[in-house]
């Protein structure tokens, strides 16, 4: 069976429409979404309505969560006070724009999804705000997959796609304390982390939307990159009164991050 996994649509309906068309052309039998339907982009209601209408299993993203519960991200999510100000502006705009029916849908999204030996989360199994970056320590990365009791962990949040195979071989862990402590050795089977990138706000250096097709029979991962009319979304960002820099970074496929104007503001945890 071929499944498609999408993430980080961020109110970009044009990108979602192009990706769904590509998914249909590749005859995927099921679609999963790992969150962030809203935020930054100009069409949050249209995106949520489309996901709802297609009954796509979806887990909650950090933006979805914050729209429901209120802005509560750690300050380290922003590289500067100016970037934080823009993030708050986007949050306030989206919070006013989203309708009650779609807000309720976001409020009921689960933190994670499971399908056989596959697990789906937005950031990590521990937190929607944790980034599973490709250079993450291998043991930590392995723990994240094992904690889901799965073989393949699909995530998003970073907006940069990658597939990583984790071969830990034999692991030795200490169980218990003091004189009763025991060293247990076990062999871990191959595990994988697949970051599906971003449909609506890519940050891999190009404006094209990204998602993943996974074959459950062959375990093949295909990272798909789909061109679409991103300029239409950029124009809508400006028209809706969202920060113009959102249109710039969408057009360049980059995250625009100024140098921190107040170094004490940047969280170093």
């Amino acid at each position: 069976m071929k499944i498609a996994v999408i993430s980080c649509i961020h109110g970009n309906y044009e990108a979602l429409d192009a990706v769904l068309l590509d998914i249909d052309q590749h005859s995927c039998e099921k679609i999963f979404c790992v969150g962030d339907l809203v935020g930054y982009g100009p069409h949050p209601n249209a995106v949520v309505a489309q996901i709802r209408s297609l009954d796509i299993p979806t887990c909650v993203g950090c933006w979805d969560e914050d729209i429901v519960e209120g802005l509560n991200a750690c300050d380290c999510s922003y590289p500067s006070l100016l970037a934080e100000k823009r993030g708050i502006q986007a949050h306030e705009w989206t919070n006013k724009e989203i309708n009650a029916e779609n807000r309720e849908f976001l409020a009921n999204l689960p933190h994670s999804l499971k399908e056989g030996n596959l697990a789906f989360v937005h950031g990590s199994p521990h937190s929607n705000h944790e980034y599973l970056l490709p250079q993450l320590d291998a043991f930590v990365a392995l723990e994240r997959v094992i904690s889901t009791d799965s073989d393949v962990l699909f995530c998003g949040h970073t907006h940069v796609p990658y597939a990583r195979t984790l071969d830990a071989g034999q692991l030795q862990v200490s169980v218990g304390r003091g004189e009763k402590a025991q060293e247990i050795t076990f062999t871990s089977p191959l595990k994988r982390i697949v970051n599906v990138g971003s449909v609506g706000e890519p940050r891999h250096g190009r404006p094209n939307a990204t998602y993943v097709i996974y074959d459950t029979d062959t375990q093949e991962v295909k990272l798909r990159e789909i061109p679409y009319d991103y300029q239409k979304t950029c124009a809508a960002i400006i028209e809706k009164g969202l920060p113009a820099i959102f249109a710039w970074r969408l057009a360049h496929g980059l995250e625009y991050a100024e140098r921190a104007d107040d170094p004490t503001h940047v969280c170093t945890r």
Side-chain angles (χ1 to χ4, degrees):
M1 179 175 70
K2 289 195 296 185
I3 66 169
V5 189
I6 62 178
S7 181
C8 301
I9 305 167
H10 286 296
N12 187 339
Y13 185 79
E14 296 298 327
L16 175 61
D17 191 49
V19 164
L20 290 175
L21 179 60
D22 191 74
I23 290 171
D24 185 61
Q25 292 174 344
H26 283 82
S27 304
C28 294
E29 296 179 48
K30 201 165 187 178
I31 306 172
F32 290 89
C33 178
V34 293
D36 269 6
L37 306 186
V38 302
Y40 300 123
H43 301 299
N45 284 310
V47 166
V48 177
Q50 182 72 296
I51 295 296
R52 290 175 53 216
S53 69
L54 296 175
D55 199 22
I56 295 174
T58 302
C59 55
V60 67
C62 55
W63 267 90
D64 309 323
E65 183 179 55
D66 287 350
I67 289 300
V68 173
E69 299 182 4
L71 189 63
N72 61 2
C74 172
D75 287 342
C76 60
S77 297
Y78 298 101
S80 69
L81 288 172
L82 183 57
E84 182 182 28
K85 182 179 179 180
R86 289 197 301 263
I88 292 173
Q89 182 180 346
H91 176 274
E92 291 175 346
W93 182 89
T94 305
N95 191 44
K96 292 177 182 178
E97 186 79 5
I98 200 81
N99 62 43
E101 194 173 15
N102 286 334
R103 187 187 300 274
E104 182 179 2
F105 175 80
L106 296 178
N108 288 289
L109 293 177
H111 174 75
S112 61
L113 297 167
K114 192 80 183 294
E115 176 93 353
N117 69 333
L118 311 177
F120 306 84
V121 299
H122 177 67
S124 87
H126 295 351
S127 169
N128 283 333
H129 294 280
E130 182 179 25
Y131 291 91
L132 297 184
L133 299 169
Q135 66 269 27
L136 181 68
D137 177 82
F139 190 84
V140 175
L142 185 65
E143 184 277 331
R144 296 299 187 266
V145 185
I146 291 176
S147 71
T148 65
D149 191 28
S150 65
D151 293 327
V152 185
L153 175 62
F154 293 92
C155 63
H157 192 42
T158 70
H159 296 212
V160 180
Y162 71 85
R164 181 181 182 186
T165 299
L166 300 161
D167 183 5
Q170 282 197 331
L171 297 175
Q172 190 175 60
V173 296
S174 180
V175 180
R177 295 182 179 180
E179 296 180 355
K180 294 183 178 181
Q182 294 181 341
E183 296 293 329
I184 298 178
T185 301
F186 67 96
T187 300
S188 172
L190 290 177
K191 303 290 185 180
R192 302 176 86 181
I193 293 179
V194 180
N195 191 306
V196 303
S198 173
V199 169
E201 196 187 81
R203 296 176 184 169
H204 62 291
R206 293 178 295 279
N208 300 331
T210 66
Y211 79 99
V212 156
I213 294 177
Y214 180 76
D215 191 312
T216 60
D217 295 324
T218 65
Q219 288 80 55
E220 181 185 18
V221 176
K222 287 186 177 180
L223 298 174
R224 298 285 300 160
E225 187 170 334
I226 311 302
Y228 72 100
D229 187 2
Y230 65 85
Q231 292 179 340
K232 188 173 182 179
T233 301
C234 290
I237 288 172
I238 303 299
E239 180 184 344
K240 298 284 186 178
L242 288 160
I245 195 64
F246 292 173
W248 182 93
R249 68 186 187 187
L250 178 62
H252 290 78
L254 296 171
E255 179 178 17
Y256 183 82
E258 311 90 341
R259 181 177 299 175
D261 39 15
D262 177 9
T264 63
H265 176 74
V266 180
C267 179
T268 56
R269 287 178 294 176

